[in-house]
Amino acid sequence: MKKNEQGARRAVEGADACEGAGADAKSSLTRRGLMGAAATMGLPALAAGMLAGCQPAGKSAEDASGADAADAGDAATQAAAAPGNSQGPTASAVLNPQDPDFRSNTIQDFSKTTLFSPLKWGSRTLANRMIKASANSGTIVSTMRGPAVYNIDATVEYYRMLAQNGIGAIILEDKAWKLPHIDETGNPKQQQWWNEIGLERVVEAVHETDTPVLIQLASADYRWSNTPEKGTVCMASELSDQDIANLIADYVTASQNMQSLGFDGVEINAAANNSGAYFLSRHRNDRDLDDPYGPATLENRARLVTEAVRGIKEACGADFHVQVLINGVEDNDASIGQSTKASTVEEVAAMAKLIEAAGADSLHLRLGVYGIHEAQFVNDAYFGGYGIDGTSGYGTFFDFSKHFGGILDASHSGCGLMLNAAAKVKGAVSIPVGAVTFMDPAHAPDFFEQALAGGKVDFLMINRAAGYADYEYVSKLKDGRVDEIRSCCRCLHCVGDFGNHTGVNESCRMNPAHGRAFGEEMPEGFKVPAGDGQKKVVVGGGGPAGMEAARVCAERGYDVTLFEKSSSLGGLLDFAHTVKEPHENLDRARSYLSHMLDVTGVNVVTGQEADAAAVQAENPDVVFVATGGLRPSMSLQGTQATPVVGIVDAMFLDDCERVLIAGFNAQALDLAWYLLA
Ligand code: SF4
């Protein structure tokens, strides 16, 4: 029962639009958490063949016309794959077929690429096409909670480090504490401390390298005059006329305040659950048709944003950069098939022209989905692997060729998903256009270089790859040291506090400093500190933990020997890569970790267990034991006909028809998905 044939595993036939399989299955948004939720709702259905045969839920008369085109194709796919259909699954039934070759790298000199060419960006010129996107950047997890817990030292050093490593520009994260009239739901007014937390120190640190730095103006999830007590869905009608006037005035006041601190500009967040998006999107703009901010015309929908841009420019001057973040193209992930009111990319392009005419200097595009907020910028939620690209997280699936107007190329596991939408918007305006959705040029160098050189997009908005996983990403890439880049594995542990629901982001799975530096665990900060003299270190085990320990010790200047009893390094990474498929880049993690042992001069001994004799022969000062954990044994003995095996061996069983998995933890679900897909 080996299941390594990629083609077979991609054939999740006709699973699109199956609302009945768990419409409210949203859960913690690590990929594992998401898949766990989907598994809880969908696994029994998948096992019973229900997903393959389910039909789209009925649509309201209001929404029927726009969704028909998409659902007709989905229904045909479902019919082809339905149980009992004599045709069975066909090539056309493969959901979101993937291009396995898109990660090629033929670039000889990155410094001569379009990626590293300058870009006129408002009144400034960027050194390259990579901009650190605004996000809750892990190191400053408490910045939003108030001045008493704002770790300004960490924030200053974090952004200084990114600027020194060559990022083209930086956009700081935000909450609405700068907007005088609105507050985060349930919190006391906080805007008074905008000038008390030392943000000017961040600006000074970034400006040491002449790197432009903006700050985002967000306004998501706030209560307005007409917001119901419960169940708000962020609709434009929640704002009274006075709320609108106050909000526009707040954008201007906040921009003036940030300008006084030295910021080069602001980014108005008018995407997702931010108030500007309530108006731009017909899905959220439920104001009266004769309302000047209502949905009747594109001008009316864009009016709040255009008035804010004009106001900021008039107050702060033409050189003060205004970037506007909007949904690039929309679809309804929470209720697939109910997307009649979603903004098409043509509408977005037309509104982008209006925003440009108001004075905006650049545009930043996100994926416009209504359910999973984070999927707007980390669309990994839709590319969960396990042979199912297009998982929505609600127990449903996108066939990307039939959603978002069919404009999104989903054949790269979500990497660069927004590029085609960016190209469409870019064709309508003359200001630079950038986009998010795993814009990681080290991951797929030729792919992104062609997108930039071909004019699909002007700049790449990056957060995880260059802002979390490897702070030296840009400088390493420019030098062509791609093998030395610690790649983001797209696990989503760093996104929000979805893993632990404590209000504190999880740290990065690949970069242990992220989320820990300047905290109790790593008070020394981001950089590996020098060692305290010549020491001999032995590491037992060549899995990821052992390799990382060896690298850090070697970087501290110690003499390090690593023993691995098998013939190659990697430990369980090969196994994990096989289960999870290419999406999580665990093959890159393995090659990075082993390559860095060469770079840092670790003495690697494979085929040798770190037994007492081997360790004593090294006469070490310190020994790291990184030989992996032990699984609890079970009382089941098994028979020849029905063996009892561990999870790794289960991958390689032949001739099994029925498998019983004991346990319901994440690994058990991983295996179940793998065996079923
Ligand atoms: S590897 Fe790090 S940056 Fe990438 S998704 Fe995981 S936690 Fe986030």
Side-chain angles (χ1 to χ4, degrees), residues 464 468-469 488-494 507-510:
R464 290 176 293 165
Y468 292 6
C488 167
C489 67
R490 313 180 74 179
C491 64
L492 300 184
H493 282 243
C494 56
S507 57
C508 175
R509 185 162 82 169
M510 294 300 296

Side-chain angles (χ1 to χ4, degrees), residues 2 15 59 64 97 158 165 315 481 492 533 535 549 553 587 628 632 673:
K2 288 179 179 171
K59 296 180 286 296
Y158 175 66
N165 275 289
R481 293 183 288 143
L492 300 184
K535 281 197 171 75
C553 288
D587 54 340
W673 274 105

Side-chain angles (χ1 to χ4, degrees), residues 22 33 74 84 105 199 274 309 373 406 476 507 516 539 573 625 666 674 677:
D74 295 340
N105 178 17
L199 281 174
N274 288 274
V309 172
H373 166 76
K476 288 177 180 174
S507 57
R516 293 192 176 91
V539 177
L573 278 175
V625 179
Y674 178 80

Side-chain angles (χ1 to χ4, degrees), residues 547-619:
M547 288 193 283
E548 178 70 355
R551 177 189 71 83
V552 172
C553 288
E555 285 192 6
R556 298 194 69 186
Y558 299 136
D559 180 5
V560 184
T561 295
L562 182 149
F563 290 112
E564 165 55 42
K565 73 176 180 182
S566 73
S567 59
S568 61
L569 297 170
L572 287 176
L573 278 175
D574 283 347
F575 164 71
H577 176 66
T578 303
V579 176
K580 293 168 178 294
E581 296 195 312
H583 184 90
E584 291 202 23
N585 300 330
L586 294 178
D587 54 340
R588 266 184 74 186
R590 181 185 186 281
S591 59
Y592 158 78
L593 287 164
S594 62
H595 178 67
M596 291 309 292
L597 300 182
D598 289 340
V599 171
T600 55
V602 172
N603 176 34
V604 176
V605 183
T606 55
Q608 171 63 59
E609 191 170 7
D611 56 21
V615 172
Q616 282 173 351
E618 295 293 322
N619 192 25

Side-chain angles (χ1 to χ4, degrees), residues 138-162:
T139 53
I140 49 174
V141 292
S142 57
T143 58
M144 313 311 177
R145 310 295 172 200
V149 290
Y150 192 106
N151 191 339
I152 190 64
D153 292 333
T155 308
V156 169
E157 290 312 312
Y158 175 66
Y159 285 111
R160 189 202 310 275
M161 182 172 56
L162 294 188

